[in-house]
Amino acid sequence: MIRYCCDLCKRELDPEQDLRYVVKMEVYAAFDPMMVEEADDDRDHLQEIQEILERLEDAESDQIGEDVYQQMRFDLCSDCHKKFVRNPLGQETARAFNFSEN
Ligand SMILES: [Zn+2]
């Protein structure tokens, strides 16, 4: 049987009692179309982007891919899920706001 642990609090999740939440994140370098348009040689830039995108398709073992594109997956318990949804980026202000509930 596969055992899951919460990636935040490291608590082991009991498949019969605990709800497990899966968080999938995609982080990728954004290319602003306006900036590309303003560049003199926009054709080269578009080609560059095209090449990067092509590289992404088999980026699993490629180190360049890490800078441009990352996909992350986390398992969370229900408590950590609630905290995560309220404050997905872990901002300090939001953390202070949540403090009274703990
Ligand atoms: Zn947790």
XYZ file of all heavy atoms in Angstrom:
848
model
N 0.842 -1.203 0.000
C 0.000 0.000 0.000
C 0.877 1.254 0.000
O 1.862 1.322 0.725
C -0.914 -0.001 1.225
C -2.027 1.012 1.119
S -3.289 0.759 2.394
C -2.396 1.305 3.848
N 0.476 2.187 -0.800
C 1.250 3.434 -0.880
C 0.912 4.318 0.315
O -0.257 4.555 0.630
C 0.932 4.181 -2.188
C 1.258 3.290 -3.392
C 1.730 5.481 -2.270
C 0.761 3.845 -4.700
N 1.965 4.793 0.970
C 1.773 5.699 2.096
C 2.140 7.102 1.659
O 3.145 7.325 1.014
C 2.676 5.290 3.266
C 2.223 4.034 3.937
C 1.616 4.384 5.284
N 0.924 3.246 5.867
C -0.147 3.368 6.625
N -0.625 4.565 6.876
N -0.736 2.321 7.139
N 1.315 8.040 2.051
C 1.606 9.426 1.720
C 1.883 10.207 2.993
O 1.259 9.970 4.033
C 0.417 10.070 1.002
C 0.217 9.554 -0.399
C -0.723 8.565 -0.657
C 0.976 10.067 -1.443
C -0.914 8.095 -1.952
C 0.783 9.595 -2.737
C -0.155 8.613 -2.982
O -0.340 8.151 -4.245
N 2.809 11.151 2.875
C 3.047 12.085 3.960
C 2.720 13.487 3.474
O 2.919 13.814 2.314
C 4.511 12.043 4.402
S 4.923 10.573 5.346
N 2.227 14.299 4.397
C 2.007 15.696 4.065
C 3.371 16.354 3.819
O 4.286 16.231 4.635
C 1.277 16.387 5.205
S 1.179 18.165 4.993
N 3.496 17.048 2.707
C 4.779 17.661 2.375
C 5.072 18.900 3.219
O 6.193 19.392 3.228
C 4.802 18.044 0.890
C 5.068 16.811 0.020
O 5.897 15.986 0.429
O 4.445 16.683 -1.036
N 4.075 19.414 3.917
C 4.313 20.598 4.747
C 4.627 20.234 6.188
O 5.642 20.627 6.733
C 3.100 21.528 4.688
C 3.145 22.615 3.628
C 1.890 23.469 3.697
C 4.373 23.490 3.812
N 3.740 19.456 6.828
C 3.958 19.152 8.244
C 4.561 17.758 8.439
O 4.862 17.370 9.560
C 2.652 19.289 9.026
S 1.419 18.049 8.597
N 4.755 17.026 7.333
C 5.392 15.702 7.348
C 4.587 14.640 8.077
O 5.076 13.561 8.364
C 6.818 15.769 7.966
C 7.710 16.819 7.352
C 7.952 16.546 5.883
C 8.823 17.634 5.262
N 8.794 17.591 3.798
N 3.349 14.957 8.366
C 2.485 13.993 9.039
C 2.110 12.892 8.049
O 1.810 13.158 6.891
C 1.218 14.703 9.520
C 0.301 13.845 10.334
C -0.656 14.739 11.107
N -1.657 15.372 10.243
C -2.798 14.776 9.876
N -3.073 13.555 10.278
N -3.678 15.406 9.122
N 2.127 11.656 8.526
C 1.720 10.565 7.655
C 0.201 10.574 7.512
O -0.528 10.755 8.488
C 2.192 9.229 8.231
C 2.079 8.112 7.211
C 2.724 6.825 7.692
O 3.918 6.867 8.055
O 2.033 5.802 7.711
N -0.246 10.400 6.280
C -1.678 10.480 6.024
C -2.282 9.079 6.005
O -1.815 8.192 5.305
C -1.933 11.173 4.683
C -1.436 12.617 4.606
C -1.548 13.131 3.187
C -2.216 13.506 5.551
N -3.315 8.927 6.795
C -4.034 7.670 6.830
C -5.079 7.694 5.713
O -6.007 8.500 5.746
C -4.719 7.533 8.199
C -5.450 6.206 8.326
O -5.752 5.581 7.284
O -5.730 5.805 9.461
N -4.930 6.817 4.732
C -5.833 6.874 3.571
C -7.300 6.680 3.934
O -8.177 7.069 3.187
C -5.326 5.751 2.660
C -4.398 4.936 3.478
C -3.927 5.768 4.614
N -7.555 6.060 5.094
C -8.948 5.837 5.478
C -9.531 6.977 6.298
O -10.745 7.081 6.447
C -9.064 4.527 6.265
C -8.795 3.328 5.363
C -9.018 2.007 6.082
O -9.372 2.030 7.273
O -8.810 0.962 5.459
N -8.668 7.796 6.854
C -9.174 8.867 7.726
C -8.869 10.266 7.216
O -9.649 11.191 7.436
C -8.562 8.728 9.128
C -9.157 7.573 9.899
C -8.584 7.484 11.294
O -8.048 8.454 11.817
N -8.682 6.320 11.896
N -7.723 10.402 6.577
C -7.303 11.749 6.200
C -7.591 12.025 4.734
O -7.337 11.183 3.872
C -5.794 11.916 6.424
C -5.443 11.844 7.890
O -6.151 12.485 8.687
O -4.489 11.135 8.228
N -8.118 13.193 4.514
C -8.234 13.655 3.135
C -6.847 14.094 2.673
O -6.113 14.739 3.402
C -9.173 14.855 3.060
C -10.624 14.565 2.680
C -11.405 15.865 2.735
C -10.714 13.971 1.293
N -6.535 13.700 1.475
C -5.239 14.105 0.931
C -5.495 15.081 -0.209
O -6.348 14.870 -1.052
C -4.477 12.883 0.414
C -3.109 13.195 -0.140
C -2.326 11.906 -0.373
N -3.023 11.003 -1.285
C -2.819 10.996 -2.603
N -1.946 11.818 -3.151
N -3.484 10.164 -3.376
N -4.759 16.158 -0.179
C -4.882 17.155 -1.232
C -3.603 17.173 -2.052
O -2.511 17.150 -1.499
C -5.118 18.554 -0.645
C -6.455 18.671 0.040
C -6.601 18.284 1.362
C -7.555 19.155 -0.645
C -7.834 18.379 1.994
C -8.787 19.260 -0.030
C -8.926 18.874 1.290
O -10.136 18.971 1.914
N -3.783 17.228 -3.338
C -2.628 17.281 -4.232
C -2.532 18.688 -4.799
O -3.502 19.238 -5.313
C -2.755 16.256 -5.381
C -1.590 16.400 -6.351
C -2.811 14.842 -4.828
N -1.362 19.282 -4.641
C -1.107 20.609 -5.198
C -0.149 20.449 -6.359
O 0.938 19.892 -6.205
C -0.478 21.558 -4.156
C -0.250 22.940 -4.764
C -1.356 21.639 -2.927
N -0.562 20.917 -7.498
C 0.330 20.895 -8.646
C 0.650 22.319 -9.033
O -0.244 23.153 -9.182
C -0.334 20.178 -9.825
C -0.315 18.685 -9.710
C -0.892 18.055 -10.953
C -0.803 16.537 -10.841
N -1.418 15.889 -12.009
N 1.917 22.592 -9.184
C 2.343 23.939 -9.547
C 3.143 23.905 -10.831
O 3.974 23.025 -11.034
C 3.225 24.536 -8.455
C 2.454 25.053 -7.286
S 3.519 26.137 -6.351
C 3.218 25.508 -4.739
N 2.882 24.896 -11.634
C 3.643 25.064 -12.857
C 4.293 26.432 -12.785
O 3.609 27.438 -12.605
C 2.702 25.034 -14.061
C 2.858 23.832 -14.932
C 1.985 23.945 -16.162
O 0.890 24.508 -16.045
O 2.407 23.505 -17.213
N 5.594 26.475 -12.879
C 6.303 27.747 -12.847
C 7.093 27.858 -14.129
O 7.909 26.999 -14.440
C 7.264 27.823 -11.639
C 7.889 29.209 -11.555
C 6.544 27.474 -10.357
N 6.806 28.920 -14.863
C 7.558 29.071 -16.103
C 7.859 30.530 -16.387
O 7.158 31.431 -15.927
C 6.819 28.425 -17.289
C 5.389 28.856 -17.462
C 5.076 29.958 -18.243
C 4.363 28.145 -16.851
C 3.762 30.337 -18.410
C 3.051 28.523 -17.015
C 2.748 29.615 -17.803
O 1.453 29.986 -17.955
N 8.929 30.727 -17.110
C 9.331 32.075 -17.460
C 8.306 32.660 -18.416
O 7.952 32.049 -19.418
C 10.716 32.061 -18.112
N 7.822 33.854 -18.069
C 6.813 34.502 -18.898
C 7.490 35.425 -19.894
O 8.367 36.220 -19.537
C 5.850 35.288 -18.016
N 7.089 35.302 -21.113
C 7.610 36.200 -22.136
C 6.522 37.209 -22.453
O 5.458 36.854 -22.946
C 7.999 35.425 -23.389
C 9.113 34.455 -23.148
C 8.846 33.116 -22.915
C 10.432 34.892 -23.127
C 9.870 32.218 -22.681
C 11.457 33.994 -22.886
C 11.180 32.661 -22.666
N 6.789 38.461 -22.121
C 5.803 39.504 -22.321
C 5.713 39.852 -23.804
O 6.700 40.284 -24.402
C 6.225 40.739 -21.516
C 5.112 41.765 -21.457
O 4.242 41.748 -22.345
O 5.129 42.577 -20.529
N 4.556 39.691 -24.409
C 4.426 39.966 -25.858
C 4.763 41.406 -26.199
O 5.291 41.687 -27.270
C 2.953 39.683 -26.153
C 2.446 38.898 -24.997
C 3.319 39.214 -23.823
N 4.453 42.340 -25.288
C 4.762 43.755 -25.539
C 6.261 43.960 -25.690
O 6.721 44.684 -26.562
C 4.239 44.625 -24.386
C 2.737 44.697 -24.296
S 1.986 45.384 -25.790
C 2.422 47.114 -25.576
N 7.018 43.337 -24.818
C 8.466 43.505 -24.877
C 9.029 42.925 -26.166
O 9.920 43.486 -26.769
C 9.122 42.822 -23.675
C 8.968 43.625 -22.401
S 9.557 42.704 -20.969
C 11.305 42.633 -21.317
N 8.485 41.821 -26.573
C 8.953 41.208 -27.811
C 8.644 42.121 -28.986
O 9.452 42.318 -29.879
C 8.285 39.823 -28.009
C 8.661 39.233 -29.367
C 8.711 38.883 -26.894
N 7.475 42.750 -28.933
C 7.054 43.623 -30.017
C 7.958 44.845 -30.135
O 8.269 45.300 -31.223
C 5.617 44.081 -29.767
C 4.703 43.910 -30.978
C 3.248 44.116 -30.589
O 2.789 45.261 -30.662
O 2.608 43.137 -30.176
N 8.377 45.359 -28.981
C 9.181 46.570 -28.999
C 10.605 46.321 -29.485
O 11.279 47.235 -29.943
C 9.228 47.196 -27.597
C 7.958 47.988 -27.293
C 7.894 48.396 -25.834
O 8.961 48.485 -25.207
O 6.792 48.611 -25.339
N 11.054 45.102 -29.373
C 12.418 44.803 -29.789
C 12.554 44.937 -31.311
O 11.628 44.641 -32.056
C 12.795 43.402 -29.352
N 13.734 45.392 -31.735
C 13.949 45.604 -33.165
C 13.867 44.288 -33.934
O 13.281 44.212 -35.005
C 15.320 46.224 -33.435
C 15.663 47.322 -32.448
O 15.139 47.271 -31.317
O 16.441 48.190 -32.780
N 14.481 43.282 -33.345
C 14.550 42.013 -34.060
C 13.559 41.019 -33.448
O 13.935 39.994 -32.915
C 15.977 41.456 -34.036
C 16.545 41.406 -32.627
O 15.934 42.003 -31.708
O 17.566 40.749 -32.428
N 12.283 41.390 -33.500
C 11.283 40.551 -32.839
C 11.223 39.156 -33.455
O 10.860 38.203 -32.795
C 9.903 41.216 -32.851
C 9.478 41.632 -34.238
O 10.365 41.671 -35.120
O 8.306 41.900 -34.444
N 11.557 39.053 -34.704
C 11.497 37.740 -35.337
C 12.468 36.772 -34.652
O 12.134 35.635 -34.380
C 11.839 37.864 -36.825
C 11.566 36.582 -37.586
C 11.651 36.776 -39.074
N 10.557 37.615 -39.584
C 10.353 37.833 -40.875
N 11.153 37.334 -41.766
N 9.352 38.575 -41.270
N 13.658 37.270 -34.333
C 14.635 36.425 -33.645
C 14.125 35.994 -32.272
O 14.324 34.872 -31.845
C 15.953 37.168 -33.479
C 16.704 37.251 -34.797
O 16.296 36.555 -35.741
O 17.677 38.000 -34.863
N 13.468 36.945 -31.575
C 12.965 36.620 -30.246
C 11.902 35.539 -30.309
O 11.894 34.619 -29.506
C 12.384 37.875 -29.583
C 13.438 38.745 -28.976
N 13.853 38.590 -27.680
C 14.160 39.759 -29.493
C 14.809 39.484 -27.424
N 15.004 40.202 -28.513
N 11.015 35.685 -31.261
C 9.962 34.686 -31.389
C 10.546 33.320 -31.696
O 10.093 32.302 -31.191
C 8.977 35.103 -32.494
C 8.062 36.273 -32.133
C 7.279 36.732 -33.337
C 7.124 35.900 -30.999
N 11.567 33.344 -32.509
C 12.213 32.077 -32.840
C 12.883 31.485 -31.602
O 12.848 30.286 -31.364
C 13.248 32.307 -33.942
C 13.654 31.022 -34.638
C 14.620 31.257 -35.774
O 14.760 32.381 -36.243
N 15.286 30.218 -36.211
N 13.464 32.396 -30.805
C 14.115 31.963 -29.574
C 13.115 31.292 -28.635
O 13.362 30.240 -28.065
C 14.712 33.195 -28.897
C 15.946 32.919 -28.069
C 16.558 34.211 -27.584
O 17.045 35.005 -28.427
O 16.515 34.447 -26.373
N 11.966 31.947 -28.489
C 10.914 31.398 -27.632
C 10.469 30.042 -28.156
O 10.307 29.078 -27.407
C 9.718 32.368 -27.561
C 10.149 33.646 -26.820
C 8.528 31.717 -26.869
C 9.180 34.793 -26.980
N 10.310 29.988 -29.459
C 9.908 28.729 -30.086
C 10.896 27.617 -29.766
O 10.524 26.501 -29.418
C 9.798 28.933 -31.605
C 9.242 27.731 -32.348
C 7.790 27.443 -31.947
O 6.998 28.355 -31.774
N 7.465 26.181 -31.801
N 12.166 27.981 -29.830
C 13.199 26.981 -29.538
C 13.148 26.534 -28.087
O 13.302 25.356 -27.777
C 14.589 27.551 -29.866
C 14.900 27.476 -31.351
C 16.151 28.263 -31.718
O 16.924 28.624 -30.808
O 16.332 28.526 -32.911
N 12.915 27.510 -27.181
C 12.821 27.167 -25.758
C 11.634 26.245 -25.522
O 11.729 25.245 -24.815
C 12.700 28.448 -24.904
C 14.026 29.214 -24.943
C 12.332 28.105 -23.473
C 13.942 30.612 -24.389
N 10.520 26.581 -26.150
C 9.320 25.760 -25.972
C 9.547 24.352 -26.500
O 9.088 23.382 -25.912
C 8.129 26.416 -26.689
C 7.613 27.702 -26.050
C 6.509 28.315 -26.892
C 7.112 27.456 -24.638
N 10.261 24.262 -27.600
C 10.546 22.936 -28.145
C 11.438 22.151 -27.192
O 11.264 20.954 -27.006
C 11.226 23.064 -29.521
C 10.218 23.285 -30.636
C 10.894 23.657 -31.938
O 12.113 23.450 -32.065
O 10.188 24.174 -32.821
N 12.383 22.872 -26.586
C 13.284 22.215 -25.644
C 12.524 21.730 -24.415
O 12.863 20.732 -23.802
C 14.388 23.188 -25.216
C 15.758 22.814 -25.764
C 16.791 23.794 -25.285
N 16.728 25.051 -26.017
C 17.222 26.202 -25.572
N 17.791 26.258 -24.392
N 17.146 27.296 -26.291
N 11.462 22.477 -24.034
C 10.698 22.121 -22.843
C 10.063 20.750 -22.976
O 9.876 20.051 -21.986
C 9.591 23.152 -22.611
C 10.034 24.514 -22.133
C 8.820 25.392 -21.930
C 10.820 24.395 -20.844
N 9.730 20.406 -24.181
C 9.000 19.159 -24.370
C 9.807 17.945 -23.919
O 9.259 16.949 -23.483
C 8.564 19.018 -25.831
C 7.374 19.931 -26.127
C 7.065 20.020 -27.609
O 7.586 19.191 -28.368
O 6.319 20.935 -27.982
N 11.109 18.035 -24.040
C 11.934 16.958 -23.483
C 12.945 17.539 -22.492
O 14.131 17.294 -22.572
C 12.615 16.136 -24.569
C 13.363 17.002 -25.563
O 13.402 18.235 -25.354
O 13.915 16.457 -26.500
N 12.411 18.341 -21.563
C 13.284 19.061 -20.635
C 13.567 18.266 -19.369
O 14.254 18.758 -18.487
C 12.659 20.400 -20.270
N 13.032 17.085 -19.271
C 13.141 16.346 -18.013
C 14.576 16.194 -17.535
O 14.871 16.346 -16.372
C 12.497 14.971 -18.168
C 10.997 15.030 -17.977
C 10.341 13.698 -18.303
O 10.902 12.670 -17.915
O 9.285 13.700 -18.938
N 15.469 15.887 -18.451
C 16.855 15.699 -18.052
C 17.714 16.912 -18.421
O 18.921 16.889 -18.289
C 17.423 14.450 -18.713
O 17.361 14.586 -20.116
N 17.049 17.972 -18.845
C 17.787 19.129 -19.347
C 17.856 20.221 -18.276
O 16.838 20.650 -17.756
C 17.089 19.671 -20.595
C 17.972 20.666 -21.339
O 18.999 21.089 -20.799
O 17.598 21.019 -22.471
N 19.050 20.667 -17.951
C 19.205 21.672 -16.893
C 18.659 23.032 -17.304
O 18.194 23.801 -16.478
C 20.681 21.810 -16.513
C 21.168 20.614 -15.696
C 22.488 20.883 -15.028
O 23.277 21.681 -15.528
N 22.733 20.234 -13.919
N 18.713 23.345 -18.573
C 18.179 24.623 -19.048
C 16.691 24.709 -18.741
O 16.178 25.748 -18.373
C 18.424 24.773 -20.569
C 19.924 24.719 -20.846
C 17.849 26.100 -21.082
C 20.274 24.452 -22.296
N 16.033 23.571 -18.850
C 14.600 23.541 -18.592
C 14.238 24.007 -17.199
O 13.207 24.631 -17.004
N 15.083 23.737 -16.201
C 14.806 24.113 -14.813
C 14.595 25.611 -14.648
O 13.761 26.034 -13.881
C 15.967 23.662 -13.920
C 15.947 22.175 -13.662
C 15.504 21.873 -12.240
O 16.087 22.456 -11.326
O 14.580 21.080 -12.070
N 15.366 26.405 -15.368
C 15.248 27.854 -15.247
C 13.965 28.367 -15.880
O 13.398 29.358 -15.444
C 16.441 28.539 -15.921
C 17.723 28.270 -15.157
O 17.629 27.909 -13.969
O 18.790 28.420 -15.748
N 13.546 27.718 -16.927
C 12.426 28.221 -17.716
C 11.116 27.601 -17.277
O 10.080 28.237 -17.280
C 12.676 27.938 -19.219
C 11.565 28.548 -20.062
C 14.026 28.489 -19.623
N 11.189 26.370 -16.896
C 9.948 25.661 -16.609
C 10.145 24.653 -15.484
O 11.087 23.869 -15.505
C 9.474 24.936 -17.868
C 8.175 24.190 -17.663
C 6.966 24.843 -17.834
C 8.169 22.855 -17.291
C 5.770 24.171 -17.640
C 6.984 22.172 -17.094
C 5.788 22.845 -17.277
O 4.621 22.182 -17.078
N 9.272 24.720 -14.493
C 9.323 23.751 -13.408
C 7.914 23.310 -13.069
O 6.994 24.128 -13.000
C 9.955 24.356 -12.154
C 11.465 24.310 -12.166
C 12.022 24.875 -10.888
O 11.890 26.050 -10.616
N 12.622 24.028 -10.079
N 7.770 22.046 -12.844
C 6.490 21.540 -12.401
C 6.702 20.862 -11.053
O 7.630 20.080 -10.885
C 5.937 20.548 -13.419
C 4.469 20.277 -13.204
C 3.890 19.411 -14.300
O 4.464 18.388 -14.665
N 2.768 19.815 -14.846
N 5.844 21.223 -10.093
C 5.983 20.685 -8.747
C 4.681 20.038 -8.317
O 3.602 20.458 -8.702
C 6.345 21.796 -7.770
C 7.760 22.314 -7.936
S 7.993 23.821 -7.002
C 7.850 25.011 -8.306
N 4.828 19.049 -7.470
C 3.649 18.360 -6.974
C 3.829 18.104 -5.487
O 4.876 17.632 -5.050
C 3.489 17.041 -7.722
C 2.241 16.274 -7.350
C 2.265 14.922 -8.034
N 1.140 14.103 -7.622
C 1.054 13.461 -6.451
N 2.034 13.558 -5.593
N 0.000 12.745 -6.150
N 2.803 18.451 -4.709
C 2.865 18.264 -3.266
C 1.613 17.551 -2.783
O 0.527 17.762 -3.301
C 2.963 19.618 -2.549
C 4.125 20.459 -2.996
C 3.931 21.499 -3.886
C 5.399 20.203 -2.531
C 5.000 22.275 -4.308
C 6.477 20.973 -2.944
C 6.267 22.008 -3.836
N 1.803 16.743 -1.766
C 0.661 16.151 -1.068
C 0.474 16.904 0.243
O 1.433 17.122 0.985
C 0.933 14.673 -0.767
C 1.055 13.855 -2.034
O 0.134 13.925 -2.856
O 2.079 13.172 -2.203
N -0.761 17.287 0.525
C -1.030 18.042 1.746
C -2.146 17.380 2.542
O -3.097 16.843 1.969
C -1.457 19.480 1.412
C -0.468 20.367 0.670
C -1.068 21.753 0.512
C 0.864 20.432 1.377
N -2.028 17.467 3.858
C -3.132 17.062 4.715
C -4.181 18.172 4.678
O -3.929 19.257 4.161
C -2.647 16.815 6.145
S -2.083 18.282 7.014
N -5.339 17.908 5.271
C -6.414 18.895 5.156
C -6.060 20.199 5.872
O -6.415 21.281 5.409
C -7.730 18.323 5.682
O -7.583 17.950 7.035
N -5.349 20.102 7.007
C -4.961 21.319 7.723
C -4.033 22.185 6.879
O -4.226 23.397 6.751
C -4.263 20.965 9.038
C -5.245 20.426 10.061
O -6.472 20.560 9.839
O -4.786 19.866 11.062
N -3.017 21.534 6.323
C -2.053 22.286 5.531
C -2.684 22.784 4.236
O -2.327 23.844 3.731
C -0.828 21.431 5.235
S 0.138 21.101 6.722
N -3.631 22.026 3.742
C -4.358 22.473 2.550
C -5.073 23.787 2.819
O -5.019 24.708 2.022
C -5.357 21.388 2.131
C -6.508 21.896 1.343
N -7.755 22.081 1.881
C -6.578 22.312 0.058
C -8.552 22.578 0.946
N -7.875 22.719 -0.162
N -5.732 23.866 3.982
C -6.433 25.110 4.327
C -5.461 26.275 4.402
O -5.722 27.375 3.910
C -7.146 24.951 5.671
C -8.452 24.189 5.564
C -9.112 24.102 6.936
C -9.974 22.841 7.020
N -10.221 22.461 8.418
N -4.322 26.036 5.050
C -3.323 27.102 5.177
C -2.783 27.484 3.805
O -2.592 28.667 3.503
C -2.159 26.645 6.060
C -2.520 26.591 7.529
C -1.330 26.106 8.333
C -1.773 25.575 9.684
N -0.732 24.791 10.346
N -2.546 26.479 2.994
C -1.970 26.744 1.678
C -2.918 27.580 0.819
O -2.511 28.540 0.170
C -1.644 25.427 0.968
C -1.153 25.624 -0.421
C 0.172 25.962 -0.662
C -2.013 25.502 -1.500
C 0.623 26.168 -1.957
C -1.568 25.709 -2.796
C -0.253 26.044 -3.021
N -4.198 27.206 0.828
C -5.157 27.902 -0.025
C -5.282 29.368 0.392
O -5.427 30.256 -0.437
C -6.527 27.184 0.030
C -7.598 28.012 -0.633
C -6.415 25.836 -0.648
N -5.205 29.617 1.704
C -5.290 30.996 2.188
C -4.058 31.805 1.808
O -4.123 33.009 1.635
C -5.433 31.007 3.711
C -6.885 30.972 4.133
C -6.972 31.152 5.633
N -7.708 30.033 6.228
C -7.375 29.447 7.363
N -6.325 29.856 8.034
N -8.097 28.462 7.828
N -2.939 31.111 1.733
C -1.682 31.837 1.557
C -0.724 31.033 0.676
O 0.304 30.568 1.131
C -1.081 32.082 2.945
C 0.174 32.914 2.865
O 0.394 33.625 1.896
N 1.012 32.811 3.867
N -1.076 30.889 -0.598
C -0.292 29.985 -1.453
C 1.150 30.418 -1.647
O 2.007 29.577 -1.919
C -1.060 30.002 -2.781
C -1.965 31.176 -2.714
C -2.228 31.458 -1.277
N 1.439 31.700 -1.519
C 2.806 32.156 -1.745
C 3.574 32.365 -0.449
O 4.696 32.843 -0.453
C 2.804 33.466 -2.554
C 2.238 33.321 -3.973
C 2.284 34.658 -4.687
C 2.984 32.273 -4.772
N 2.965 32.015 0.687
C 3.658 32.124 1.961
C 4.043 33.541 2.318
O 5.121 33.778 2.852
N 3.155 34.462 2.034
C 3.463 35.860 2.305
C 3.385 36.161 3.789
O 2.545 35.631 4.506
C 2.482 36.761 1.538
C 2.727 36.737 0.051
C 1.534 37.252 -0.713
O 0.408 36.865 -0.450
N 1.783 38.141 -1.648
N 4.258 37.053 4.218
C 4.366 37.370 5.646
C 3.074 37.963 6.195
O 2.632 37.606 7.270
C 5.519 38.370 5.878
C 6.888 37.782 5.640
C 7.262 36.716 6.672
O 6.733 36.778 7.795
O 8.066 35.831 6.345
N 2.449 38.867 5.465
C 1.242 39.543 5.955
C 0.130 38.531 6.173
O -0.565 38.563 7.173
C 0.774 40.609 4.943
O 0.766 40.024 3.646
C 1.678 41.816 4.956
N -0.011 37.616 5.240
C -1.062 36.617 5.352
C -0.792 35.699 6.534
O -1.712 35.261 7.212
C -1.153 35.812 4.067
N 0.476 35.412 6.783
C 0.813 34.544 7.898
C 0.421 35.209 9.218
O -0.111 34.583 10.119
C 2.310 34.232 7.879
C 2.649 32.988 8.676
C 4.135 32.693 8.601
N 4.569 32.372 7.257
C 5.828 32.496 6.843
N 6.756 32.956 7.671
N 6.161 32.172 5.623
N 0.665 36.494 9.323
C 0.293 37.235 10.527
C -1.222 37.237 10.685
O -1.745 37.140 11.789
C 0.810 38.671 10.445
N -1.904 37.326 9.587
C -3.365 37.358 9.605
C -3.928 36.032 10.123
O -4.904 35.996 10.854
C -3.870 37.641 8.187
C -5.363 37.688 8.078
C -6.075 38.782 8.567
C -6.054 36.653 7.488
C -7.449 38.820 8.465
C -7.445 36.692 7.386
C -8.147 37.775 7.881
N -3.294 34.938 9.774
C -3.765 33.610 10.166
C -3.383 33.257 11.594
O -3.857 32.272 12.128
C -3.174 32.537 9.247
C -3.789 32.614 7.860
O -4.886 33.150 7.701
N -3.092 32.092 6.881
N -2.539 34.047 12.202
C -1.917 33.660 13.459
C -2.946 33.373 14.534
O -2.815 32.407 15.296
C -0.979 34.784 13.915
C -0.176 34.416 15.123
C 0.873 33.519 15.020
C -0.470 34.965 16.352
C 1.613 33.177 16.128
C 0.269 34.627 17.480
C 1.313 33.725 17.369
N -4.022 34.168 14.615
C -4.979 34.040 15.696
C -5.742 32.721 15.625
O -6.315 32.283 16.606
C -5.965 35.212 15.651
O -6.607 35.234 14.399
N -5.732 32.082 14.485
C -6.520 30.855 14.344
C -5.791 29.616 14.832
O -6.388 28.573 14.988
C -6.913 30.662 12.872
C -7.941 31.672 12.425
C -8.480 31.306 11.047
O -8.718 30.128 10.797
O -8.604 32.219 10.237
N -4.514 29.740 15.079
C -3.740 28.561 15.473
C -3.841 28.257 16.960
O -3.932 29.040 17.792
C -2.262 28.737 15.108
C -2.096 28.597 13.614
O -2.888 27.940 12.926
N -1.071 29.272 13.083
Zn 0.133 18.837 6.856
